[in-house]
Amino acid sequence: MAREVLSIGQVRIHSGSATREEAMKEAADILESVGAVTSAYFDAMQQREQTVSTYMGNELAIPHGTNETKHTILDSALSVVRYDGGVDWGGEPVTFVVGIAGKGDEHLEILSQIAILFSDDDDVARLKEAGTPEELFAIVSSAGV
């Protein structure tokens, strides 16, 4: 699935930190830049976050829209951003922000693969040690995401 929903241009590494809003905006901007969502998707992500946190544990947040905002999704895609300085996600420490847009029910399979990758502490350590976006992309891609 990696070739379909994730390309090297959708993977970034930042040495600094970001606010939760800045991280969600970057995730939405990356998805918009590849034509997967409309400009309204950032607002959809914020609506979801107000309802329920998209913090998943193990330093991972997966911001995404609500069912009511599915019309803002044009195609399935991911964005993967690592913030080495961290993001305060409603009081939880986040290093990885994986923006997701799933057309139809495709988000369920994508979420499943991400959850498997981030459930393994050794995999998370490898993701944190990746020195370049290319290395990070290779690890995520090899997990079938």
Side-chain angles (χ1 to χ4, degrees):
M1 181 173 285
R3 301 295 170 249
E4 299 170 27
V5 299
L6 185 66
S7 69
I8 185 62
Q10 293 155 246
V11 179
R12 299 182 184 164
I13 298 175
H14 296 296
S15 58
S17 61
T19 66
R20 177 170 55 183
E21 186 168 279
E22 290 167 341
M24 283 196 299
K25 180 75 170 120
E26 183 168 18
D29 286 351
I30 292 169
L31 294 171
E32 186 179 355
S33 74
V34 297
V37 300
T38 69
S39 59
Y41 197 63
F42 173 61
D43 291 334
M45 285 179 163
Q46 289 183 306
Q47 286 176 33
R48 165 72 68 190
E49 206 62 42
Q50 290 169 2
T51 307
V52 62
S53 175
T54 56
Y55 172 73
M56 307 309 253
N58 241 3
E59 301 182 51
L60 171 67
I62 305 178
H64 56 284
T66 63
N67 285 336
E68 295 75 33
T69 58
K70 281 271 194 194
H71 64 279
T72 63
I73 298 172
L74 306 173
D75 202 2
S76 296
L78 285 179
S79 62
V80 177
V81 184
R82 188 179 81 197
Y83 295 93
D84 292 343
V87 178
D88 178 348
W89 207 274
E92 300 291 349
V94 165
T95 301
F96 297 93
V97 177
V98 178
I100 184 170
K103 192 76 175 155
D105 288 334
E106 290 179 343
H107 66 286
L108 299 174
E109 182 183 345
I110 299 167
L111 280 170
S112 172
Q113 294 302 320
I114 294 167
I116 292 167
L117 176 63
F118 279 88
S119 67
D120 186 300
D121 291 340
D122 291 339
D123 285 338
V124 174
R126 286 179 39 234
L127 291 164
K128 289 175 80 168
E129 291 167 5
T132 65
E134 291 79 10
E135 287 178 44
L136 187 56
F137 172 76
I139 296 167
V140 174
S141 296
S142 69
V145 175

